Amino acid sequence: MIVIGMDVGTTRSKVAAMDETGRPQIVLNRRGDPFTPSVIYFEDGRTPIVGAEALAEGFLHPEYVHSCFKRALGSPDGLHTDASGKSYTATGFTQILITDLKQDVEARFNEEVDEAVFTVPANFQDHKKQAMIDAAGAAGIKVVKLVHEPTAAGIAYALQKKRDFRFVVFDLGGGTLDVSILEAAGSEITVLSTTGREKLGGEDFNARIERLVVEQFAKETGYEPTVESDAMFFQELADKAERAKIHLSQKTATKIVAGCQGRQAIVEITRDQFESLTSDLLQDALGCTTQAVEEASLSWTDLDSIILVGGSVRMPAVQSALADLSSIVPHCDIEPDRAVCYGAAQMCAMEFAKQGKAIMIGGRAIPTPQAFVQEVTAYGVGCCVADKDGALRNAVILSKGTSIPTTKTDRFSLLHEDQTEARIEILQGGEGQAYDECLSIGEIVLTNLPVEHKKSKRIEVTYAIDANGMIRATGKDLVGGEQVEIRIDYSKGTTSSKPGRDAA
Ligand code: ADP
Ligand code: MG
């Protein structure tokens, strides 16, 4: 049997399997590489090719190359239409990528993969989590459990350390930042807080270099390349900026040779210059870290270590800024690129053990990692209410940082006594946050309400959140008894129309 953890990254995907000694190991892909670029190229506009081949073969046809689609996961928008008219969404791309990863594992172990643990950023909204589950399902893999990426890295670390301590997981990858505070005590691993940015990662640092090069190029040659007319220039520039950034993690200066429309410019970039061009990104990441510590009701002196996860933590400025902020020297005791998928594979072993499966690898039973993991919600979920002045706000029922799985209930009154219908709009956001600043994730409609000539808290709203962080919502009229339960329908995307809200 194979016990698999899959970390489908914004820029690179990684897979780990438990070995016969009970430890996670990275699964090399069919090329022999430990990581697969999360890139798809449609050869001739129709045949999908994944990973390093996609990058190489798609070089001349940037219009058929798709990357960073994890950021759009769960969106109904089509990103590519092939020659036969078939349209692909980000979820469709993710399915193609997971199918490729599945084939890598099967080629290596000569065994079919039909179950695995998958990871997602902690701040992933529910419809994105659902899209990951759907993409895996469509690729023929049942998601045994969905684990937050920083939690997975924390599991790998806690299982390696085997002692009681509190630590920060700082995960800065290609597209997202996750910061979680965890506590390991005996076999219990508890997430104390989690926060992050859905759009903050290595790609944003690359973009700053790209902008600098375009500006310098225009200054030196008098020609400003545009995405519309110079697609190839930007394709090459993305690659060069990525390399330059990685050089700057080792060296204090590097050069980019840029050519477009028969003109050429050599742009020199120093590490100092790069750090000042990106200082706001780093400040944002540090702000998240401070917030995570505060939300755990801790101060830095309560914390024992900071573990660095994700390729972007190799930037020296990230490490030194975190050390300055915390007075703790952060470390990479587990390889930053691998910690997440290691923890996912370990979690898979734990889930199989919970299901009573004996885990046999290479003909013998492997020791199961012993841990009980307590996860928390990454955002608040409430419903839309009108305040005294009529302004629409979020009344939080499940607050950010609640341990999951859990069920929470609250009661609301109708806006008008003679209402016969109530719409309960489910909002993601903070307590009291204005409606327009929240994300609307679903709606329950209760109809045929008997009129009661007094104001009472007759509408009961219950949110049940499962171990994967997915919500089931129930609305009940305590007077008439009508009850409606929904699993939020993520297939529609989250940009729901704003119906007339006349309730709760
Ligand atoms: P994800 O899981 O989001 O795909 P990874 O954790 O695999 O991301 O990290 C990929 C990111 O790490 C890329 O943006 C890449 O440029 C960056 N990266 C990798 N190595 C280095 C390095 N030495 N210096 C700076 N950034 C790096
Ligand atoms: Mg990652």
Side-chain angles (χ1 to χ4, degrees):
M1 106 191 264
I2 34 181
V3 181
I4 298 290
M6 286 203 180
D7 172 15
V8 181
T10 311
T11 49
R12 300 181 299 174
S13 296
K14 309 102 190 165
V15 182
M18 296 302 277
D19 72 7
E20 51 285 348
T21 67
R23 275 188 285 259
Q25 300 291 348
I26 206 95
V27 181
L28 300 181
N29 64 23
R30 280 160 289 171
R31 287 168 57 98
D33 297 334
F35 315 121
T36 299
S38 304
V39 177
I40 296 174
Y41 164 58
F42 285 86
E43 194 176 30
D44 309 323
R46 72 170 78 199
T47 314
I49 297 179
V50 175
E53 282 88 355
L55 279 173
E57 295 187 25
F59 206 78
L60 292 175
H61 299 285
E63 70 277 24
Y64 294 146
V65 179
H66 301 276
S67 56
C68 290
F69 43 83
K70 186 177 176 185
R71 283 182 163 175
L73 199 62
S75 154
D77 298 341
L79 300 178
H80 177 87
T81 304
D82 72 11
S84 67
K86 182 171 178 206
S87 169
Y88 293 84
T89 60
T91 311
F93 285 166
T94 306
Q95 175 196 336
I96 294 171
L97 175 58
I98 294 173
T99 303
D100 189 76
L101 300 171
K102 173 174 152 72
Q103 287 167 354
D104 284 333
V105 183
E106 293 177 347
R108 194 139 295 265
F109 293 99
N110 209 8
E111 212 177 308
E112 201 186 328
V113 186
D114 50 16
E115 285 186 299
V117 164
F118 281 72
T119 58
V120 282
N123 53 42
F124 239 29
Q125 290 145 3
D126 289 22
H127 71 290
K128 290 175 179 271
K129 291 182 178 171
Q130 184 63 51
M132 184 64 87
I133 293 173
D134 293 345
I141 307 184
K142 176 171 174 263
V143 177
V144 178
K145 193 173 169 77
L146 213 55
V147 187
H148 290 164
E149 287 160 11
T151 306
I155 291 168
Y157 184 62
L159 288 171
Q160 188 193 62
K161 286 291 167 205
K162 296 194 181 119
R163 63 178 174 84
D164 296 354
F165 63 127
R166 283 199 202 107
F167 59 101
V168 179
V169 175
F170 181 91
D171 180 354
L172 187 61
T176 49
L177 168 74
D178 277 314
V179 186
S180 292
I181 313 288
L182 284 86
E183 183 171 60
S187 60
E188 293 204 7
I189 301 169
T190 309
V191 183
L192 302 176
S193 72
T194 188
T195 187
R197 292 278 180 267
E198 236 185 302
K199 287 197 173 125
L200 178 57
E203 288 294 316
D204 303 294
F205 288 76
N206 291 2
R208 299 293 166 88
I209 296 182
E210 289 169 36
R211 202 168 68 195
L212 172 79
V213 172
V214 172
E215 280 167 12
Q216 285 291 112
F217 186 87
K219 215 192 242 172
E220 282 183 35
T221 67
Y223 176 76
E224 184 166 347
T226 63
V227 180
E228 295 71 39
S229 47
D230 307 296
M232 184 64 92
F233 169 83
F234 283 95
Q235 172 91 340
E236 275 177 15
L237 182 56
D239 193 45
K240 287 174 180 171
E242 165 81 7
R243 284 170 205 268
K245 177 185 72 177
I246 290 173
H247 276 159
L248 288 173
S249 293
Q250 301 297 322
K251 306 192 304 174
T252 53
T254 188
K255 286 192 181 87
I256 288 183
V257 180
C260 187
Q261 308 279 359
R263 299 156 214 244
Q264 201 183 54
I266 298 172
V267 180
E268 168 146 357
I269 309 162
T270 64
R271 187 189 284 171
D272 285 347
Q273 200 180 2
F274 171 63
E275 289 177 357
S276 74
L277 278 175
T278 55
S279 64
D280 60 313
L281 301 175
L282 183 54
Q283 284 310 317
D284 194 16
L286 295 179
C288 271
T289 312
T290 304
Q291 188 189 339
V293 175
E294 284 170 7
E295 286 181 0
S297 304
L298 297 173
S299 61
W300 282 109
T301 47
D302 301 316
L303 290 153
D304 301 297
S305 56
I306 301 177
I307 72 160
L308 297 173
V309 178
S312 299
V313 298
R314 295 212 172 79
M315 290 185 284
V318 171
Q319 304 195 11
S320 58
L322 278 172
D324 289 346
L325 178 73
S326 64
S327 304
I328 298 170
V329 179
H331 63 83
C332 309
D333 277 7
I334 301 188
E335 229 245 297
D337 307 298
R338 303 180 184 211
V340 171
C341 68
Y342 281 180
Q346 288 165 316
M347 196 72 193
C348 190
M350 292 189 265
E351 287 297 313
F352 282 169
K354 252 197 231 167
Q355 295 168 8
K357 287 185 187 164
I359 304 172
M360 304 291 292
I361 292 174
R364 57 187 179 135
I366 64 157
T368 314
Q370 293 296 324
F372 173 76
V373 183
Q374 183 64 65
E375 184 58 273
V376 293
T377 51
Y379 36 75
V381 186
C383 65
C384 180
V385 295
D387 66 15
K388 284 195 194 76
D389 307 324
L392 299 174
R393 304 203 168 275
N394 188 20
V396 167
I397 298 174
L398 266 170
S399 8
K400 179 177 195 280
T402 306
S403 294
I404 56 172
T406 189
T407 301
K408 295 265 189 244
T409 296
D410 209 345
R411 290 181 183 172
F412 303 91
S413 44
L414 295 171
L415 207 53
H416 310 288
E417 283 174 16
D418 57 354
Q419 257 176 257
T420 55
E421 191 180 289
R423 288 173 194 272
I424 302 158
E425 191 167 355
I426 305 163
L427 299 181
Q428 194 175 295
E431 174 58 34
Q433 204 169 355
Y435 175 80
D436 289 337
E437 293 167 9
C438 298
L439 185 73
S440 173
I441 58 173
E443 185 187 53
I444 299 172
V445 182
L446 296 171
T447 50
N448 303 321
L449 303 180
V451 174
E452 193 197 29
H453 292 290
K454 62 175 189 194
K455 211 154 178 112
S456 69
K457 295 206 165 190
R458 61 184 279 180
I459 303 294
E460 187 176 84
V461 181
T462 302
Y463 294 156
I465 185 156
D466 70 15
N468 287 334
M470 312 287 287
I471 300 161
R472 204 179 61 235
T474 312
K476 185 175 180 187
D477 172 32
L478 297 174
V479 175
E482 195 198 5
Q483 179 167 324
V484 174
E485 182 183 295
I486 59 161
R487 274 203 76 94
I488 292 161
D489 184 0
Y490 299 103
S491 58
K492 292 191 185 121
T494 53
T495 43
S496 73
S497 60
K498 294 179 187 174
R501 285 163 304 275
D502 49 9

